Amino acid sequence: MQITRRAFTTGGLMLGGLALGPGLGLPARASARFGSMQIDMVSDGNLVLPRDFITGPMPAEELAAILTRNGITGEALTPPCNVTLLRHEDRVILFDVGSGSDFQPSAGLLPETLDSLGLAPEDITHLVITHGHPDHIWGLLDEFDEPFLPEAQILMGRAEFDYWMDPGTLDSIGAARQAFAIGAQRRLEAVADLVTFFEDGAEILPGVAARLTPGHTPGHMSFELRDGSESLMVLGDAIGNHHVAFERPAWESGSDQDPATAAATRVALFDQLASAQMPIAGFHLPGGLGRVEAHADGGYRFQPA
């Protein structure tokens, strides 16, 4: 089967590729604790997408060397989808809610992986949204079009919400991503009364500060979690993979809606994260948790936790 960019962006790609953990039927889970914060990476499965959806604009010869070095072959990429779960004091917080059952058959595992932690959807007190792409918000509604997290307060950056709810977005986003806009509008409209909005720099919950990281989408947010002197950055898709994004952060990626802005955001983020040695939680990074290591070639490497 030929994997095309259109098949992926319209939700029509019907390939699996989920790696299952031994004995559980679910991917392995990474965890970390700092201060009074407990972090668990909760799998929503994985995506299957055409390689050139990301690498299309990149220089072919140098790209090939990076992919080979990272063991990536073939025409498909199968990035994991790692939802960050934060338990802090009396709050149980999800950062993004996965893709639900309507995007790709290899994703939508969040209900099962929450259950493996002994959590029901009703136990989630807050849902924090990084951005409005399908693999991050299409899980907002269950199969009956009711909120999947019925007790959760939803927090979302005002600029990102307004972008997806703007009727003009459907015309400006490009034909390949129009399904993204239609799906986001339907789901965000259904939960709009439950959303609390915030701006860049706001402390949206105790120990959780919003950091605008635009480019992947116009209002994409990352979040700095801090308890005392310890901190961790929840990246969403501001750093979208463990290979070319790390080794050549200034390269423009086809997965970003504003590639030039997203590249500038990555460069600034890597400089901050590497110099501070701040742990990271990445939605599409292997295992989800790790650190950024500066490399002699001027790029960076992902160090899994």
Side-chain angles (χ1 to χ4, degrees):
M1 174 180 182
Q2 183 179 10
I3 302 174
T4 66
R5 181 187 296 249
R6 177 165 178 79
F8 166 65
T9 55
T10 58
L13 185 60
M14 300 295 291
L15 286 179
L18 177 64
L20 301 182
L24 293 176
L26 294 170
R29 185 178 72 247
S31 300
R33 187 172 186 89
F34 60 94
S36 59
M37 292 184 169
Q38 171 68 37
I39 304 290
D40 290 284
M41 302 310 293
V42 186
S43 178
D44 193 51
N46 67 275
L47 300 182
V48 182
L49 55 110
R51 194 177 75 184
D52 72 351
F53 183 74
I54 290 174
T55 64
M58 299 175 183
E61 188 173 338
E62 191 175 351
L63 170 66
I66 292 171
L67 296 179
T68 298
R69 183 159 53 245
N70 284 275
I72 297 169
T73 61
E75 64 175 5
L77 297 175
T78 56
C81 298
N82 301 299
V83 176
T84 301
L85 171 73
L86 168 63
R87 284 179 273 202
H88 184 219
E89 298 174 346
D90 60 346
R91 291 172 288 277
V92 183
I93 305 160
L94 281 180
F95 292 84
D96 295 329
V97 68
S99 64
S101 59
D102 294 335
F103 187 49
Q104 290 196 358
S106 56
L109 287 186
L110 186 62
E112 289 81 1
T113 50
L114 284 177
D115 184 65
S116 75
L117 282 168
L119 291 171
E122 294 78 12
D123 296 327
I124 307 301
T125 61
H126 298 82
L127 169 64
V128 179
I129 294 174
T130 64
H131 67 293
H133 278 165
D135 48 330
H136 295 258
I137 68 161
W138 279 20
L140 275 167
L141 304 179
D142 64 17
E143 62 269 29
F144 303 105
D145 279 349
E146 297 292 333
F148 170 60
L149 305 174
E151 304 300 323
Q153 178 187 2
I154 301 171
L155 298 103
M156 187 172 186
R158 167 65 78 176
E160 184 74 0
F161 181 90
D162 289 349
Y163 170 75
W164 291 106
M165 296 305 292
D166 183 347
T169 295
L170 189 62
D171 296 324
S172 64
I173 199 171
R177 286 185 167 93
Q178 283 185 337
F180 290 12
I182 293 168
Q185 286 178 11
R186 182 172 79 80
R187 289 162 175 83
L188 292 175
E189 212 165 48
V191 301
D193 291 343
L194 307 174
V195 179
T196 298
F197 299 107
F198 59 84
E199 306 293 339
D200 178 33
E203 184 176 36
I204 62 171
L205 292 166
V208 181
R211 302 285 184 251
L212 180 65
T213 47
H216 185 67
T217 61
H220 186 287
M221 288 283 182
S222 299
F223 300 91
E224 184 176 346
L225 313 185
R226 183 170 292 278
D227 192 330
S229 62
E230 297 182 89
S231 61
L232 176 147
M233 189 75 78
V234 178
L235 293 167
D237 283 2
I239 298 173
N241 61 72
H242 67 289
H243 37 86
V244 290
F246 274 76
E247 297 204 27
R248 295 294 180 267
W251 283 2
E252 294 186 3
S253 169
S255 64
D256 297 323
Q257 290 184 212
D258 181 344
T261 298
T265 292
R266 276 192 300 277
V267 169
L269 260 179
F270 276 122
D271 180 62
Q272 174 193 355
L273 295 168
S275 61
Q277 275 298 285
M278 185 184 296
I280 57 175
F283 195 87
H284 294 305
L285 301 181
L289 293 175
R291 291 182 185 269
V292 175
E293 181 182 273
H295 199 265
D297 64 4
Y300 300 86
R301 300 293 186 271
F302 175 60
Q303 295 299 320

